[in-house]
Amino acid sequence: MKWTNVYGLDQLGSFLQKTRKEKGYTQDEFAEIIGASHATLSALENGKGVSSQTLMRAISDLGLKLVVLPKGAQAEVHDAPASVVSLLCSRQEGGQQ
């Protein structure tokens, strides 16, 4: 199992781009797979906001799992065969930043 921690959209975008390239997809090929335009995929990989549906489709179609944890949280993973992306949020309890 492969874990990576990302702390924001820019790091998540870079990670997704790296994973896409490792799997041998061009941006145009992968954009078609996830049902997005080349411009939308480029925005995602450059840390710009895209729809959550597009983000989740990209994560899923790359064979990844997304786990969202509050920053500083500790977690144990048991029996998780797929790669996992852990997105650490900077928000505190109650939605305050």
Side-chain angles (χ1 to χ4, degrees), residues 31-64:
E32 187 174 328
I33 289 169
I34 65 171
S37 69
H38 176 96
T40 298
L41 179 57
S42 180
L44 172 60
E45 291 182 349
N46 286 297
K48 308 284 191 272
V50 299
S51 73
S52 58
Q53 181 180 10
T54 299
L55 173 62
M56 294 310 295
R57 182 81 188 248
I59 290 169
S60 175
D61 287 355
L62 287 171
L64 304 170

Side-chain angles (χ1 to χ4, degrees), residues 36-96:
S37 69
H38 176 96
T40 298
L41 179 57
S42 180
L44 172 60
E45 291 182 349
N46 286 297
K48 308 284 191 272
V50 299
S51 73
S52 58
Q53 181 180 10
T54 299
L55 173 62
M56 294 310 295
R57 182 81 188 248
I59 290 169
S60 175
D61 287 355
L62 287 171
L64 304 170
K65 304 283 185 202
L66 175 67
V67 177
V68 180
L69 301 170
K71 200 171 208 174
Q74 294 186 7
E76 280 186 49
V77 177
H78 300 277
D79 197 34
S83 294
V84 179
V85 177
S86 173
L87 178 61
L88 301 177
C89 299
S90 61
R91 293 183 183 215
Q92 298 172 353
E93 278 188 37
Q96 302 292 322

